[in-house]
Amino acid sequence: MFTEKYASISDAWFGLLYNIQKYGYRQCIQRGSFEGEYRIQYPFVAIEIEHPNLDMIPIMPQGMESLAPTDMKYVEDYFVNYLMNGELKENEVYSYGSRICKYIDKLVEMLKATPYTNQATLEIASPGDIFLVEPPCLRSLSFKVVDGKLDVSIFFRSNDLFAGFCTNLAGLELLKQYIASEANLENGKMYYASDGLHIYSYQLDVVNMRIGNKISETI
């Protein structure tokens, strides 16, 4: 298990990339995306991010800007058109937005009336998702007021550390900020956990360039 505290999403991204060689293991991919390939994966991660509203986007070294995992425009689009949009596209079985946005008003109402409740939780996954080829990676969001500030706890069953982590967390941070504003609360911390945080084998060269360290392909 890997546990750590970080100042920002960008800080967490870099730290988790750097430490995956020490704490990760090589896993053959038997189902879903990139079946037949392998990834380097943490067995379990639990982190605290003190200021998720600051420094969301990692800075790449000069000459590597095109390899950045995300940018703020993409994050804002992800928030508006995916997390806050409940409409399903053609051939979509679900989206995070279809399982989030219809319950936001109730969540805000609950936080206004009983800000110190432990029940302000959104379940993104459902038991029937086990039959899907690509079940939701994001499983739950739990909102809690601590010292007058709204914190969020996030659990992912699987998460692409290099390409998805920052967009996912930054988008969910925008969601937390929106809910905090609607509920007249101050914005707080982010807690993140996953038992499948990973980098894919095809990403190793870029990751090695970014962290200035050689991640072994034979972990």
Side-chain angles (χ1 to χ4, degrees):
M1 181 171 75
F2 181 78
T3 61
E4 193 61 88
K5 293 183 179 181
Y6 293 104
S8 66
I9 293 172
S10 177
D11 184 34
W13 180 77
F14 183 81
L16 289 165
L17 284 176
Y18 190 83
N19 282 290
I20 199 168
Q21 176 169 256
K22 181 177 180 180
Y23 295 97
Y25 66 100
R26 179 175 172 138
Q27 183 199 57
C28 294
I29 302 170
Q30 296 183 323
R31 291 174 60 91
S33 301
F34 305 104
E35 184 176 331
E37 300 294 325
Y38 76 90
R39 56 193 168 204
I40 308 300
Q41 178 165 286
Y42 281 99
F44 187 81
V45 163
I47 63 171
E48 173 187 327
I49 301 176
E50 187 173 7
H51 303 292
N53 60 315
L54 303 176
D55 193 22
M56 296 184 190
I57 310 301
I59 297 174
M60 301 297 282
Q62 189 173 3
M64 293 180 61
E65 290 84 357
S66 64
L67 299 176
T70 193
D71 58 43
M72 204 60 212
K73 183 178 183 301
Y74 187 80
V75 167
E76 290 169 351
D77 182 74
Y78 175 76
F79 167 66
V80 171
N81 294 312
Y82 191 68
L83 296 180
M84 295 293 283
N85 183 358
E87 296 182 8
L88 294 176
K89 298 177 182 177
E90 187 177 356
N91 298 323
E92 268 189 338
V93 178
Y94 74 91
S95 69
Y96 293 163
S98 70
R99 298 185 176 185
I100 290 175
C101 64
K102 68 177 77 173
Y103 304 110
I104 288 179
D105 288 346
K106 178 60 180 177
L107 190 74
V108 170
E109 176 188 322
M110 183 185 296
L111 288 167
K112 280 184 172 180
T114 54
Y116 292 100
T117 181
N118 285 342
Q119 298 181 7
T121 297
L122 296 177
E123 301 290 347
I124 312 304
S126 67
D129 290 334
I130 197 169
F131 294 104
L132 299 178
V133 175
E134 294 282 0
C137 294
L138 176 62
R139 309 306 274 187
S140 65
L141 300 170
S142 184
F143 297 87
K144 187 178 293 184
V145 178
V146 179
D147 296 330
K149 296 181 179 181
L150 185 66
D151 294 347
V152 65
S153 297
I154 300 164
F155 180 70
F156 274 83
R157 66 159 184 86
S158 183
N159 202 194
D160 180 343
L161 173 57
F162 184 78
F165 177 87
C166 292
T167 295
N168 295 146
L169 267 61
L172 291 170
E173 169 59 19
L174 295 183
L175 176 64
K176 175 165 69 70
Q177 291 177 24
Y178 173 80
I179 292 171
S181 177
E182 291 295 299
N184 300 315
L185 295 165
E186 291 185 55
N187 189 40
K189 297 181 181 181
M190 176 179 286
Y191 297 90
Y192 168 95
S194 176
D195 57 359
L197 184 65
H198 59 266
I199 56 174
Y200 290 106
S201 56
Y202 78 88
Q203 299 168 331
L204 285 173
D205 287 344
V206 178
V207 172
N208 287 332
M209 286 190 290
R210 179 59 186 89
I211 65 175
N213 189 34
K214 179 67 174 177
I215 296 177
S216 173
E217 297 183 19
T218 59
I219 286 178

